[in-house]
Amino acid sequence: MPHTTVEYSGTLTGALDKPGFGTALHEALVTIAGGRAAGCKTRFVRHDDLWIGDGSPHRAMIHVEVALLSGRDPETKRALTAAVLAALREHTAPTPQFEVQFSVDLRDLDREAYARHEEPRAVAP
């Protein structure tokens, strides 16, 4: 925990520094939201079939959805979404041929309903 999904326009594949953004994202999740570093999981999902605004081929987007266990106060959530947006912009190269829309959505996961299981790591002989 936390779980993050990064959806992005396929036209931005070369512009988005996934390792750099992932590192900055996980650091923010730990330092701002008190997440557990080993539990941070981020999925990058490329979309080649998007319709943005009026459908112009010069539009692109990167949307980040962060899911955290409930209980953080509004100030922490605002600080986290601001840090994620800043990291996203920092780790996306300029693409003057596109109008890029960046967005971040933070969602609470119900602590009482969330479940997980972690397999123990195999020990080498």
Side-chain angles (χ1 to χ4, degrees):
M1 182 52 49
H3 297 282
T4 305
T5 303
V6 181
E7 296 182 86
Y8 63 97
S9 298
T11 53
L12 299 177
T13 297
L16 178 59
D17 172 11
K18 291 186 270 188
F21 174 69
T23 298
L25 168 68
H26 290 191
E27 287 174 2
L29 289 166
V30 170
T31 59
I32 297 171
R36 188 174 57 92
C40 292
K41 299 166 202 65
T42 298
R43 296 176 306 224
F44 290 90
V45 181
R46 174 185 165 148
H47 292 287
D48 292 315
D49 191 16
L50 290 173
W51 189 267
I52 301 169
D54 62 3
S56 167
H58 303 289
R59 296 183 191 272
M61 61 128 233
I62 304 176
H63 175 71
V64 180
E65 183 174 304
V66 179
L68 291 168
L69 289 176
S70 59
R72 272 90 178 173
D73 59 57
E75 293 79 23
T76 299
K77 291 177 181 182
R78 279 192 292 276
L80 181 59
T81 56
V84 172
L85 186 59
L88 185 58
R89 297 194 61 188
E90 179 181 339
H91 294 283
T92 303
T95 52
Q97 68 275 33
F98 298 110
E99 176 186 300
V100 182
Q101 298 177 10
F102 297 94
S103 58
V104 179
D105 183 22
L106 191 147
R107 298 182 180 269
D108 283 333
L109 294 174
D110 183 348
R111 285 183 180 272
E112 302 303 317
Y114 180 78
R116 75 177 191 93
H117 172 78
E118 190 171 317
E119 287 290 326
R121 194 174 109 187
V123 178

